[in-house]
Amino acid sequence: MADINPSADSVRAMLSEANGRIRKAMVEYFELLEKGASQLPASDQVKQFCSQVQRNVTATFDLGDRLIQAKDAQDAFKIQSEFYQDQMRALTEQARSMGESAMKAATSAFTPKS
């Protein structure tokens, strides 16, 4: 019979296992996505975007792993706060990088070819 009141350790173990399975499926999904993206005309930009999305999703799974191991609510709030700060820095960098890539693509599209 299933344990009605599982211990914190068994709940953590179940969550870690589920997170691992979902993470594995995510890796497989992004591998398929990259294969499909290589056939698109703007494959470099698509690959860059996919890489950034993959980084964000991986960071979210890492957050889940860290939250599973949190000792108490204060520790969980600290972990979330650090995650949000890191994500805001990453978002700023990604926006800058995508802006540069878009400018480069626009410039090359309007440059006369000799």
Side-chain angles (χ1 to χ4, degrees):
M1 181 180 237
D3 190 4
I4 294 174
N5 288 323
S7 70
D9 290 336
S10 65
V11 170
R12 283 187 175 115
M14 288 186 300
L15 289 171
S16 291
E17 182 183 333
N19 203 17
R21 285 194 306 258
I22 295 168
R23 188 186 291 255
K24 182 177 183 267
M26 183 238 5
V27 168
E28 292 171 0
Y29 170 76
F30 278 108
E31 286 173 356
L32 287 173
L33 192 61
E34 285 180 21
K35 285 179 187 175
S38 65
Q39 300 171 5
L40 296 173
S43 64
D44 290 339
Q45 287 82 10
V46 173
K47 285 181 184 178
Q48 180 184 15
F49 178 74
C50 287
S51 173
Q52 291 173 352
V53 170
Q54 187 171 11
R55 182 241 165 250
N56 294 338
V57 171
T58 299
T60 304
F61 279 108
D62 292 346
L63 170 67
D65 288 339
R66 291 182 65 207
L67 286 174
I68 289 169
Q69 301 304 319
K71 298 174 190 97
D72 54 26
Q74 185 176 2
D75 192 25
F77 288 134
K78 179 181 178 239
I79 290 167
Q80 280 191 312
S81 176
E82 291 170 357
F83 170 76
Y84 289 127
Q85 290 172 3
D86 290 344
Q87 286 300 97
M88 290 307 294
R89 281 190 287 272
L91 177 64
T92 301
E93 174 58 29
Q94 290 170 2
R96 184 196 59 75
S97 177
M98 292 299 285
E100 288 175 359
S101 180
M103 287 300 292
K104 207 184 256 187
T107 302
S108 68
F110 292 107
T111 302
K113 295 183 172 118
S114 317

